[in-house]
Amino acid sequence: MNYEEALAFVHGRPRLRKAPTLKRMQQFLTELGNPQTKIQAVHVAGTNGKGSTIAFLTSLLGQEGRQVGTFTSPFITRFNERIAVNGQPISDEAVVHLVTQVRPVVEKMDQTELGGPLEFEIVTAMMFLYFAQHPVDVVLVEVGIGGLYDSTNVFTPLVSVITNVGWDHMALLGNTLPEIAQQKAGIIKPHVPVVTGVQASEALTVIKRVANEQHAPLMVLDDDFKLTGDPADFESNDCHVSNIKSGLLGVYQLKNLAVAIQAAVVLSRQRGWKLSADQIRRASLQARWPGRMEIMQQEPLVVLDGAHNLPGVQALKQSLQTYWQDRTIHILAAILDDKLFQPMIDELLTIPNAQLTLTNFQNPLHRQVVQPGELVANEARQINYEANWRTALRQLIKQANPRDVVIITGSLYFVSEVRPLFKK
């Protein structure tokens, strides 16, 4: 089996089945020798900010020469990015070796009543196998969707992190914030510390209740720890660090950074690791996460931001109004129409110094992208549309003045398709 054949096998698997369950994943891992029991890991859930929080944590925990594994999704450039060590994706050979190990088990389970594993279950199992066979000091495991029934929710972490709770994946997670929060809180385990950036009161009430039921110590942003100012000061009950600067652009990133610092402090004390004030300052500034408020060129300024749901667009709007309220902003967006696209577009249209252009792209999931005909008439009249995103981007950059800002946003799959143009 070569690399292309290995990827074809993984991507050729079903993505969803009707009834949410962990039974299939648990059986899959049992057949593989339960590699999830052989790792030391942090579990990270949330509607937005999971990837950025993991980027900060990778930098923070990577001090003193420690090895930090990560499991994230989706990938921006190549599949291998999903499993990485200190930011370096695993090799093509490692991917082939992992698929070679899981494939016979998948085919065996295809013949059972439970059915064979789904695509994300296979990738998750590959991650557990890799880090069981190539031990690192800690693995940062990002939840795919939700938490309670997510295929990553099959191990006991050292620390559980819930970044925030917002409106996304309602068809799977529920139609109210408490329902969505209940799914995110599914990663909370008995007596395992929980760090959260959740601030919506009705969602936080659920997180607090579940943590209490599980006797899990809970630390809440702005109650038990906070990061304020610019440069920022971090304060918690037993840690104070001043003059912190974020390496990631975006007003919302300070919340993700605060959660990451608190989680890193808790984990470092558990493990007996050193994490000094200077290390926190250096790691915070050095953190990188592609496709999230990522500057790709100057004059005009071109920024990629995968604001793929309503909370993401709201955070993007806040950053645009903070950083560039005195500049003309050209927004190029490709939004999947299974999202809350109408309120997402409403938010973008309320930015007074911005002009919105919608476009299309060849997304790998074959999901539909929002078209102007799906919008109410008065909004459709305020929006430009160009089906070919390359043509649209070329036109926007050509017409922009040197001080203007071009924002490329919407689906992370769209951002990943655009990004290689600027990375050549």
Side-chain angles (χ1 to χ4, degrees), residues 2 18 55 97 121 126 220 268 315 408:
N2 61 30
K18 289 182 180 178
H97 182 60
E121 291 170 337
M126 289 168 60
V220 179
S268 294
I408 301 163

Side-chain angles (χ1 to χ4, degrees), residues 148-216:
L148 181 61
Y149 294 110
D150 188 75
S151 17
T152 62
N153 198 27
V154 288
F155 70 101
T156 300
L158 301 168
V159 181
S160 302
V161 175
I162 303 174
T163 58
N164 58 23
V165 172
W167 301 101
D168 199 17
H169 299 296
M170 284 86 73
L172 298 173
L173 304 182
N175 292 313
T176 68
L177 282 184
E179 287 176 334
I180 297 171
Q182 187 72 36
Q183 293 291 321
K184 308 291 184 188
I187 72 164
I188 297 175
K189 302 296 189 301
H191 308 288
V192 173
V194 183
V195 178
T196 185
V198 172
Q199 293 182 304
S201 59
E202 51 188 330
L204 186 55
T205 297
V206 174
I207 304 296
K208 288 179 175 179
R209 175 178 53 77
V210 176
N212 184 59
E213 291 169 353
Q214 299 287 355
H215 305 287

Side-chain angles (χ1 to χ4, degrees), residues 154-299:
V154 288
F155 70 101
T156 300
L158 301 168
V159 181
S160 302
V161 175
I162 303 174
T163 58
N164 58 23
V165 172
W167 301 101
D168 199 17
H169 299 296
M170 284 86 73
L172 298 173
L173 304 182
N175 292 313
T176 68
L177 282 184
E179 287 176 334
I180 297 171
Q182 187 72 36
Q183 293 291 321
K184 308 291 184 188
I187 72 164
I188 297 175
K189 302 296 189 301
H191 308 288
V192 173
V194 183
V195 178
T196 185
V198 172
Q199 293 182 304
S201 59
E202 51 188 330
L204 186 55
T205 297
V206 174
I207 304 296
K208 288 179 175 179
R209 175 178 53 77
V210 176
N212 184 59
E213 291 169 353
Q214 299 287 355
H215 305 287
L218 176 64
M219 288 143 279
V220 179
L221 177 65
D222 292 338
D223 289 344
D224 303 295
F225 62 96
K226 60 184 177 179
L227 189 67
T228 55
D230 184 17
D233 290 347
F234 177 82
E235 292 182 67
S236 66
N237 292 334
D238 50 5
C239 181
H240 180 270
V241 182
S242 60
N243 197 32
I244 298 171
K245 296 180 181 179
S246 169
L248 302 182
L249 190 64
V251 175
Y252 56 91
Q253 294 294 7
L254 288 181
K255 295 180 180 179
N256 297 329
L257 177 55
V259 169
I261 292 173
Q262 181 63 25
V265 168
V266 171
L267 182 64
S268 294
R269 292 200 170 143
Q270 272 186 10
R271 310 295 288 170
W273 294 342
K274 177 184 175 185
L275 186 61
S276 69
D278 282 343
Q279 287 174 329
I280 290 173
R281 292 187 193 100
R282 181 169 59 251
S284 299
L285 189 58
Q286 290 174 346
R288 296 291 181 268
W289 191 237
R292 280 76 168 184
M293 290 299 288
E294 183 182 15
I295 295 175
M296 308 308 295
Q297 78 166 48
Q298 306 282 345
E299 295 189 352

Side-chain angles (χ1 to χ4, degrees), residues 3-220:
Y3 178 73
E4 289 72 23
E5 290 168 337
L7 289 192
F9 173 75
V10 173
H11 296 321
R13 296 298 301 178
R15 295 183 57 83
L16 290 172
R17 289 206 172 97
K18 289 182 180 178
T21 179
L22 286 176
K23 290 181 180 179
R24 184 174 51 250
M25 187 66 191
Q26 290 162 340
Q27 180 60 37
F28 187 21
L29 292 172
T30 297
E31 296 279 351
L32 292 170
N34 287 311
Q36 78 281 8
T37 64
K38 301 178 177 67
I39 67 168
Q40 302 291 313
V42 174
H43 207 182
V44 183
T47 302
N48 289 89
K50 297 187 295 293
S52 299
T53 300
I54 285 176
F56 284 125
L57 273 170
T58 301
S59 189
L60 288 159
L61 298 174
Q63 303 296 313
E64 306 269 309
R66 281 185 287 272
Q67 296 287 298
V68 182
T70 52
F71 178 62
T72 57
S73 59
F75 61 88
I76 295 295
T77 305
R78 299 190 79 228
F79 174 87
N80 308 42
E81 296 166 23
R82 301 185 74 164
I83 305 170
V85 177
N86 289 352
Q88 294 301 310
I90 62 173
S91 67
D92 292 358
E93 292 76 17
V95 171
V96 172
H97 182 60
L98 291 167
V99 173
T100 301
Q101 291 177 78
V102 302
R103 185 169 185 167
V105 179
V106 171
E107 292 172 344
K108 175 183 174 183
M109 288 185 64
D110 277 339
Q111 308 306 315
T112 67
E113 190 174 334
L114 270 177
L118 304 174
E119 179 184 4
F120 188 70
E121 291 170 337
I122 290 173
V123 181
T124 303
M126 289 168 60
M127 176 271 296
F128 285 132
L129 270 178
Y130 183 84
F131 290 118
Q133 296 165 0
H134 304 84
V136 293
D137 294 296
V138 64
V139 184
L140 309 177
V141 178
E142 179 185 347
V143 165
I145 294 176
L148 181 61
Y149 294 110
D150 188 75
S151 17
T152 62
N153 198 27
V154 288
F155 70 101
T156 300
L158 301 168
V159 181
S160 302
V161 175
I162 303 174
T163 58
N164 58 23
V165 172
W167 301 101
D168 199 17
H169 299 296
M170 284 86 73
L172 298 173
L173 304 182
N175 292 313
T176 68
L177 282 184
E179 287 176 334
I180 297 171
Q182 187 72 36
Q183 293 291 321
K184 308 291 184 188
I187 72 164
I188 297 175
K189 302 296 189 301
H191 308 288
V192 173
V194 183
V195 178
T196 185
V198 172
Q199 293 182 304
S201 59
E202 51 188 330
L204 186 55
T205 297
V206 174
I207 304 296
K208 288 179 175 179
R209 175 178 53 77
V210 176
N212 184 59
E213 291 169 353
Q214 299 287 355
H215 305 287
L218 176 64
M219 288 143 279
V220 179

Side-chain angles (χ1 to χ4, degrees), residues 304 332 389 393 408 413-422:
L304 295 184
L332 179 63
W389 68 260
L393 181 57
I408 301 163
Y413 294 103
F414 173 51
V415 166
S416 70
E417 190 170 308
V418 175
R419 191 171 183 269
L421 277 186
F422 296 93

